């Protein structure tokens, strides 16, 4: 049976793996039997990654660029069964890159869609897509946060 807690635990493991920039842990959360994975990070300029080899190259480059990890916080989880053994997870994700010493950090907020497949050893990721928040509402939120800081004692 699909439980929200089991899939939420997988999302927490995925988040923790990014936080440690642990590529082996990220890999362990994927279903390598899936012939056509779909992985689309926000910053991808080209088509989504459609092979595990391409995902592995992306993760290796991220580990090289951000050895301190990528801090993630997820919220607003919506988890629903979409077929026997398949679960759709949608959530909001705040992220912050931990830069190399002397480099500036950056961060943002995305909406994430993931599909997890039930395997004998647990739920495994086969689909991941990130969509950044629309620019205008995001910038207005930044302005509102700054205004609130000015009003604070």
């Amino acid at each position: 049976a699909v439980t929200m807690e089991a899939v939420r635990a997988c999302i927490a493991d995925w988040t923790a793996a990014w936080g440690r920039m642990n590529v082996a842990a990220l890999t362990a959360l994927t279903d390598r039997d899936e012939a056509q994975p779909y992985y689309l990070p926000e910053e991808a300029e080209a088509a989504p990654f459609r092979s595990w080899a391409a995902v592995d190259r992306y993760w290796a480059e991220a580990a090289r660029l951000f050895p301190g990890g990528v801090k993630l916080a997820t919220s607003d989880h919506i988890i629903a069964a979409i077929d026997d053994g398949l679960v759709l997870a949608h959530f909001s994700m705040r992220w912050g890159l931990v830069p190399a010493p002397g480099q500036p950090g950056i961060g943002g907020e995305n909406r994430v869609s993931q599909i997890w497949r039930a395997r004998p050893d647990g739920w495994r990721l086969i689909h991941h897509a990130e969509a950044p928040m629309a620019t205008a509402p995001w910038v207005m939120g930044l302005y509102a946060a700054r205004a609130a800081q000015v009003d604070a004692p």
Side-chain angles (χ1 to χ4, degrees):
V2 175
T3 66
M4 178 182 264
E5 292 78 24
V7 175
R8 198 181 295 239
C10 291
I11 295 168
D13 291 345
W14 176 81
T15 299
W18 271 105
R20 297 184 313 274
M21 209 59 256
N22 185 333
V23 174
L26 289 168
T27 300
L29 288 167
T30 61
D31 182 354
R32 294 299 166 128
D33 290 334
E34 173 59 43
Q36 294 189 333
Y38 185 98
Y39 200 93
L40 181 61
E42 173 192 4
E43 69 278 8
E45 293 180 10
F49 305 128
R50 296 304 313 261
S51 71
W52 292 120
V55 172
D56 292 343
R57 285 190 297 274
Y58 166 72
W59 285 342
E61 181 66 4
R64 184 185 72 75
L65 291 172
F66 304 103
V70 179
K71 303 303 179 196
L72 304 176
T74 66
S75 62
D76 306 322
H77 298 87
I78 300 170
I79 300 170
I82 56 175
D83 200 356
D84 189 32
L86 290 176
V87 171
L88 172 67
H90 173 83
F91 51 90
S92 297
M93 178 179 77
R94 289 191 175 172
W95 57 271
L97 302 178
V98 180
Q103 298 296 314
I106 61 170
E109 188 169 346
N110 290 341
R111 292 160 291 187
V112 177
S113 170
Q114 294 180 331
I115 297 176
W116 294 84
R117 176 180 287 147
R119 302 292 297 180
D121 56 344
W123 292 95
R124 296 295 176 256
L125 187 68
I126 62 171
H127 168 102
H128 173 89
E130 299 173 11
M133 300 302 290
T135 304
W138 188 70
V139 169
M140 292 305 294
L142 292 176
Y143 284 138
R146 289 288 184 183
Q149 290 173 351
V150 171
D151 292 338

